[in-house]
C-alpha cells in the first residue's frame, strides 16, 4: 500500500498514512496541507512542521500531537477527529485486515480473546446500534475499509485481471463434496489468472479462498491440505480449533496466492476464514453485499446455498436487469437439482431475464469445470 496516495481523481485530496509520507511531503517543500487526510499518525515531535504548514482544509483522523499543537491546528482551519478510546478497533485504519491480525493469539488462547471476537462482542452489546458514538465509530471504520478496498482494486494484485465472485452457503463442512468442489473452483479460477472474491466466511466461502490460496501448490500438497482441514469439519463447536487447523495450513504454505474476502460483523457468529489474504470486514452488511457484487467485474458463480445465497442471486440479478450493456456480468448457477428443485431460483431468474440484455449472461451448469468454461467463453 502506498504511504501517500490520491483518494479520488482530484489531486487536491491526499491520504497520508505514515510518518515517512508526512516527512517526505514536508521535505519536498509542501506549504499547505489543504486536502490532506492524515490517518492514525503519532505526530508528536512534528510540531514545528505542523506549525509552519497552512492547516486550512486538512483533516486529522485519530492522530496524536504534542501539547498545544491540536488547538493550534483547529484555530487555523484543520478538522480533527479524535481518537475513540472506547472501541476495540481503529476506525481510521488505512488498510484491509489480514487473517493473522483478526486471529492474533488464537494459537495460544481461545478465539473469544481475538480481535475479531472482541469487535463482534462490542457490536452486539445491548443498545449499541443506537448509540451515537458507536454508530459513528462503525461508520468511520466502514468508510476506511471501503477506501482501502478501492486502493486494492488499483493495485498490482488486480491490474489487468478480472475479479470473479464465488457465493454459496456457510454450512458446507470441510471434507464434504461441496467443500471440495468449491475448493477446486477457487483453484481453477486463480490458475486462470482471475482474482477470487468471496463473502469471506466459512463453508463454501472458505473453500473457494482456500482453493485460490493453494492454486500454485502441487496436487499432492493440495489434497493433503484438504485432508488436514477435514479433521476439524466446521467452526462449531470450536472456532479456535477450526481457525488453528487453517492457520497450520497457511504456516506450511506461507506464499499462497492472494484472494479477497468481504465478511461482516453483522453475521459475526460466522467467523472469517483464514485463507482470504485480504479481508475487508464491514459492520454494515448491506454495504458489504453491494460492494462485493460491484467488484466482481468478471461475473459471479453461485454454488448451492440457501437464504443468503438466494438473496445474493437476486441482488446481482437486479443490478444486471437495470444495468447498462457494459456493466452486465455473467451469473453462473452451479447445481441444476439445487437451483431447479430445492430452491428454484433458476426459473425465476430466467423469467426475469427474458427479453433483457442479461438473458445471454445467465447460465445453469452442473459442475465447477462447466462454470469456468462458461466464463472462458
Amino acid at each position: 500500500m502506498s504511504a501517500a496516495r490520491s483518494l479520488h481523481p482530484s489531486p487536491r485530496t491526499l491520504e497520508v498514512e505514515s510518518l515517512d509520507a508526512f516527512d517526505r511531503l514536508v521535505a519536498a517543500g509542501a506549504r499547505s496541507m489543504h486536502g490532506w487526510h492524515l490517518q492514525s499518525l503519532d505526530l508528536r515531535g512534528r510540531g514545528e512542521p505542523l506549525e509552519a504548514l497552512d492547516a486550512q482544509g486538512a483533516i486529522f483522523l485519530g492522530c496524536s500531537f504534542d501539547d498545544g499543537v491540536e488547538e493550534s491546528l483547529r484555530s487555523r482551519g484543520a478538522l480533527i477527529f479524535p481518537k475513540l478510546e472506547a472501541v476495540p478497533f481503529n476506525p481510521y485504519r488505512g488498510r484491509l485486515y489480514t487473517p493473522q491480525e483478526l486471529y492474533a493469539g488464537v494459537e495460544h488462547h481461545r478465539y473469544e480473546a481475538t480481535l475479531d471476537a472482541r469487535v463482534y462482542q462490542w457490536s452486539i452489546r445491548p443498545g449499541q446500534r443506537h448509540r451515537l458514538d458507536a454508530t459513528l465509530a462503525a461508520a468511520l471504520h466502514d468508510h476506511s475499509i471501503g477506501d482501502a478496498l478501492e486502493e486494492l482494486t488499483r493495485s498490482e494484485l488486480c491490474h489487468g485481471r478480472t475479479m470473479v465472485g464465488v457465493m454459496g452457503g456457510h454450512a458446507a463442512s470441510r471434507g464434504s463434496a461441496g467443500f471440495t468442489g468449491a475448493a477446486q473452483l477457487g483453484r481453477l479460477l486463480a490458475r486462470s489468472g482471475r482474482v477470487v472474491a468471496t463473502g469471506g466466511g466459512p463453508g463454501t466461502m472458505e473453500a473457494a479462498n482456500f482453493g485460490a490460496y493453494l492454486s500454485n501448490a502441487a496436487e499432492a500438497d493440495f489434497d493433503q491440505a484438504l485432508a488436514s482441514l477435514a479433521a476439524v469439519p466446521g467452526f462449531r463447536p470450536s472456532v479456535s480449533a477450526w481457525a488453528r487447523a487453517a492457520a497450520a495450513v497457511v504456516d506450511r504454505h506461507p506464499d499462497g496466492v492472494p484472494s479477497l474476502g468481504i465478511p461482516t460483523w453483522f453475521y459475526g457468529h460466522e467467523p472469517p476464514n483464514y485463507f482470504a489474504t485480504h479481508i475487508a470486514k464491514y459492520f454494515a452488511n448491506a454495504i458489504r453485499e453491494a460492494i462485493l457484487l460491484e467488484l466482481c467485474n468478471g461475473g459471479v458463480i453461485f454454488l448451492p446455498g440457501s437464504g443468503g445465497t438466494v438473496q445474493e442471486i437476486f441482488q446481482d440479478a437486479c443490478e444486471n436487469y437495470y444495468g447498462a450493456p457494459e456493466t452486465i456480468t455473467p451469473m453462473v448457477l452451479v447445481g441444476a437439482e439445487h437451483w431447479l428443485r430445492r430452491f428454484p431460483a433458476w426459473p425465476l431468474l430466467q423469467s426475469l431475464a427474458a427479453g433483457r440484455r442479461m438473458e445471454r449472461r445467465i447460465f445453469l451448469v452442473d459442475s465447477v469445470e462447466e462454470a469456468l468454461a462458461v466464463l472462458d467463453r
Side-chain angles (χ1 to χ4, degrees), residues 184-331:
Q184 290 290 356
L185 175 61
R187 182 172 168 87
L188 290 170
L189 287 169
R191 283 188 161 187
S192 70
R194 297 171 170 94
V195 179
V196 173
T198 78
T204 297
M205 297 170 279
E206 179 189 36
N209 287 125
F210 163 84
Y213 186 82
L214 286 184
S215 58
N216 286 340
E219 197 73 33
D221 291 336
F222 183 79
D223 292 341
Q224 182 182 30
L226 268 176
S228 69
L229 287 178
V232 186
F235 63 92
R236 295 189 179 97
S238 173
V239 177
S240 304
W242 178 80
R244 286 171 193 151
V249 171
V250 170
D251 287 344
R252 288 196 298 273
H253 302 275
D255 299 317
V257 173
S259 67
L260 175 64
I262 309 184
T264 172
W265 278 294
F266 185 81
Y267 295 133
H269 57 286
E270 296 179 10
N273 77 70
Y274 213 94
F275 297 105
T277 57
H278 297 72
I279 299 177
K281 191 154 191 178
Y282 286 86
F283 287 100
N285 183 55
I287 295 174
R288 165 251 192 174
E289 292 276 11
I291 289 176
L292 177 56
L293 292 172
E294 179 185 338
L295 289 176
C296 296
N297 55 359
V300 181
I301 298 173
F302 298 93
L303 299 174
S306 53
T309 310
V310 171
Q311 174 192 332
E312 288 159 347
I313 288 173
F314 290 104
Q315 187 169 345
D316 194 22
C318 185
E319 297 289 334
N320 284 329
Y321 186 88
Y322 290 109
E326 63 273 15
T327 67
I328 297 172
T329 55
M331 299 178 63

Side-chain angles (χ1 to χ4, degrees), residues 79-123:
L79 180 61
I80 299 179
F81 287 80
K83 286 186 175 182
L84 300 175
E85 305 289 356
V87 298
F89 56 91
N90 179 5
Y92 311 117
R93 62 181 296 117
R95 65 189 189 281
L96 299 180
Y97 291 100
T98 65
Q100 291 80 8
E101 181 182 6
L102 290 173
Y103 283 107
V106 77
E107 63 273 17
H108 302 299
H109 306 286
R110 289 172 55 84
Y111 165 72
E112 288 73 14
T114 65
L115 174 63
D116 186 66
R118 288 186 287 110
V119 175
Y120 176 53
Q121 289 303 316
W122 172 87
S123 74

Side-chain angles (χ1 to χ4, degrees), residues 87 89 122 127-139 283:
V87 298
F89 56 91
W122 172 87
Q128 192 77 312
R129 298 185 192 277
H130 303 290
R131 290 173 52 94
L132 179 59
D133 56 346
T135 54
L136 177 61
F283 287 100

